[in-house]
Amino acid sequence: MPAISSVNPSPQMSSTLAINTKVRALRAQGHSVLQLGFGEARFPVHPLVLAALKAHAAERSYLPVAGLPELRAAIAAYYRRRMGINAAAGQVIVGSGSKSLLFAALHALKGDLLLPIPSWVSYETHAFLTGKTTHWIPTSFENNHCLTAEDLAAGIKAAKTAGASPGILILNSPHNPTGVMYPPALLESLAQVAKAENITIISDEIYALTAYGDVPHTSIARYYPEGTIITGGLSKHLSLGGWRLGAAIVPDNEFGQALHRYMSAVAGAIWTTAAAPIQYAAIVAYSNNPEIDAYVDACTAVHGYVTGYLYGVMQALHIPAPQPAGGFYLFPGFAPWRAALAEKHHVRTSQQLADLLLQEANCATLPGSDFGADPLDLTLRLATSYLYAQTDAEAEAVLEAHRNNLSPADLLRQTCPGVLEMEERLRQFVAGLGKPG
Ligand code: PMP
Ligand code: GLU
């Protein structure tokens, strides 16, 4: 009999992708499931970017492994202009989504991985696939689940005590699953600890341009340029997840050059380079174009209205959740209903809670435990981005309402019925559980 590798445990299927498949199947069977499990920005491709793709559809040659030189230059210029990062084209490597680059960076770097609780689902699998141990570092609700300098120092110590060699920290801001942004002062203090402890930071900034709070996104690379790798791409702010175009920026030093060579070798061995027509279109996506900038800002504003609105609903229902400021996620906890959930529904873990919400309210979510949270915390990750646009026409209508300066409340009422439907289902679900404890 042929057999597959006996690696134990085997790698986990990404739960975000698994819930996407599950919801599609449920909908195909006729269930009216609200999709809050999968986080995907759903606005139409910007016309200028689409035109560039069409114009280059016939490009069929393999391109340079690290990406087209013009694209790498455009990405470096973009980071200088929009993120205040002093990047040069030579520091950029383009990949098939930023996921591939996160994997390549972890493969290249020495040491075990430190991850704040909660963290996005794929990092631990990347660490597993690259033979690294993951050490989870607790964070607190009071700190919005942001890692503090003290948490990091304690986490490094605990990992060492457990016999590991912590060498890498993945930080993500704006954050999936909480939607929270790290304030600049916190990033600065984390950078100091990382520097002192010789920890390399992978700063996952895929949501940087979806920051809708009062404070703009800041990269920790500003405080620790010599030891930070930034990853990002087009998936979120331009709704181009399916185009699979990501970029990493390595430090401007010898370490960065060695890292670039290593990551390029991984790329060359596995995905060769990102798809050629997509790379040509990405030059336009990364260009200095006020029209595209305004489009990104409009999409981000809508993510902010919807996510902020549902955050307000949760507050009114006394569901604790960190206040989101970027991306399209919420991370509520149902601990106030712990007793009622256990008594009425035999629900004790976040997975059981997610299953119950799907069964009772037809809302697909992901359990906090998929993001490293204690299953008993009863946290869920809600992705709001599928609530307001199933089709391009619906997404266009929401943007049009925004352009016409509709108030957020009218915009939601007129163009986002899914959001109000979600509000109603959540209200009913919570009402069925009784008063919060
Ligand atoms: N990081 C985070 C936190 C994400 O949510 C995603 C979503 N796909 C990614 C990285 C990877 O994005 P992509 O591979 O599409 O660039
Ligand atoms: N990042 C999205 C999420 O967390 C989904 C896409 C992915 O996981 O690759 O839901």
Side-chain angles (χ1 to χ4, degrees):
M1 267 294 265
I4 60 162
S5 160
S6 58
V7 174
N8 191 16
S10 50
Q12 285 292 311
M13 167 51 81
S14 157
S15 58
T16 59
L17 303 177
I19 193 86
N20 194 25
T21 308
K22 184 171 175 174
V23 170
R24 279 170 198 251
L26 285 169
R27 285 183 172 168
Q29 290 162 21
H31 297 275
S32 76
V33 184
L34 285 180
Q35 170 62 295
L36 291 107
F38 188 54
E40 181 183 15
R42 301 191 47 75
F43 292 107
V45 183
H46 188 279
L48 292 175
V49 181
L50 187 59
L53 181 67
K54 285 183 179 164
H56 291 93
E59 293 291 346
R60 64 204 174 284
S61 288
Y62 294 111
L63 297 181
V65 171
L68 268 175
E70 304 89 304
L71 174 58
R72 293 170 67 198
I75 292 172
Y78 195 80
Y79 272 82
R80 291 196 297 273
R81 182 170 68 86
R82 295 227 47 181
M83 316 280 190
I85 294 294
N86 196 15
Q91 291 166 255
V92 177
I93 167 166
V94 171
S96 173
S98 62
K99 236 182 214 182
S100 63
L101 299 164
L102 286 161
F103 170 85
L106 277 179
H107 205 290
L109 292 169
K110 198 168 159 195
D112 291 316
L113 175 64
L114 298 163
L115 282 186
I117 299 173
S119 280
W120 180 53
V121 296
S122 291
Y123 306 137
E124 189 182 21
T125 310
H126 291 152
F128 169 80
L129 291 171
T130 54
K132 293 181 185 335
T133 310
T134 297
H135 282 267
W136 290 93
I137 310 181
T139 61
S140 66
F141 181 78
E142 291 64 41
N143 290 324
N144 265 334
H145 288 302
C146 287
L147 187 74
T148 65
E150 295 73 34
D151 295 335
L152 176 59
I156 294 169
K157 204 167 153 198
K160 284 182 179 165
T161 308
S165 312
I168 312 152
L169 168 71
I170 301 186
L171 269 194
N172 171 221
S173 179
H175 190 258
N176 179 3
T178 63
V180 167
M181 283 223 327
Y182 275 67
L186 182 52
L187 292 173
E188 195 168 2
S189 63
L190 284 166
Q192 277 166 12
V193 176
K195 241 185 243 194
E197 297 279 353
N198 203 19
I199 301 285
T200 303
I201 294 181
I202 300 178
S203 183
D204 177 351
E205 302 180 15
I206 190 89
Y207 294 98
L209 293 175
T210 64
Y212 51 77
D214 301 334
V215 188
H217 164 81
T218 304
S219 173
I220 194 164
R222 287 199 189 192
Y223 309 111
Y224 187 27
E226 70 277 25
T228 302
I229 301 151
I230 300 174
T231 58
L234 301 179
S235 298
K236 309 302 174 181
H237 61 279
L238 278 170
S239 305
L240 292 173
W243 281 23
R244 311 307 303 124
L245 194 292
I249 300 181
V250 300
D252 181 20
N253 52 22
E254 259 179 50
F255 161 64
Q257 286 160 15
L259 192 58
H260 200 282
R261 280 194 297 276
Y262 193 119
M263 289 172 68
S264 300
V266 174
I270 301 180
W271 62 88
T272 307
T273 183
I278 298 291
Q279 289 201 43
Y280 283 100
I283 296 174
V284 175
Y286 278 107
S287 64
N288 182 354
N289 184 312
E291 209 185 293
I292 297 176
D293 285 354
Y295 186 67
V296 169
D297 291 348
C299 298
T300 294
V302 173
H303 293 313
Y305 294 157
V306 173
T307 312
Y309 179 79
L310 287 175
Y311 173 70
V313 169
M314 286 177 185
Q315 282 196 305
L317 295 173
H318 305 287
I319 306 172
Q323 180 164 5
F328 24 80
Y329 301 108
L330 289 159
F331 197 64
F334 287 76
W337 292 274
R338 187 185 302 287
L341 283 165
E343 279 158 28
K344 290 189 188 172
H345 300 286
H346 307 290
V347 161
R348 289 184 176 78
T349 66
S350 53
Q351 179 64 66
Q352 290 167 339
L353 176 62
D355 292 344
L356 179 73
L357 201 62
L358 184 56
Q359 236 169 43
E360 297 257 308
N362 256 327
C363 294
T365 61
L366 286 178
S369 53
D370 283 353
F371 299 81
D374 185 334
L376 303 179
D377 286 350
L378 294 172
T379 44
L380 294 178
R381 188 200 73 168
L382 273 53
T384 60
S385 48
Y386 260 84
L387 292 178
Y388 40 102
Q390 305 299 319
T391 62
D392 275 9
E394 285 171 9
E396 199 43 72
V398 188
L399 286 175
E400 195 52 31
H402 169 70
R403 285 189 204 106
N404 291 337
N405 291 321
L406 246 67
S407 71
D410 284 342
L411 176 142
L412 291 174
R413 216 176 2 255
Q414 291 178 24
T415 62
C416 303
V419 177
L420 304 183
E421 176 67 29
M422 174 58 200
E423 174 181 1
E424 190 46 37
R425 292 190 196 186
L426 194 61
R427 276 187 199 286
Q428 282 179 16
F429 180 73
V430 169
L433 294 176
K435 282 209 169 350

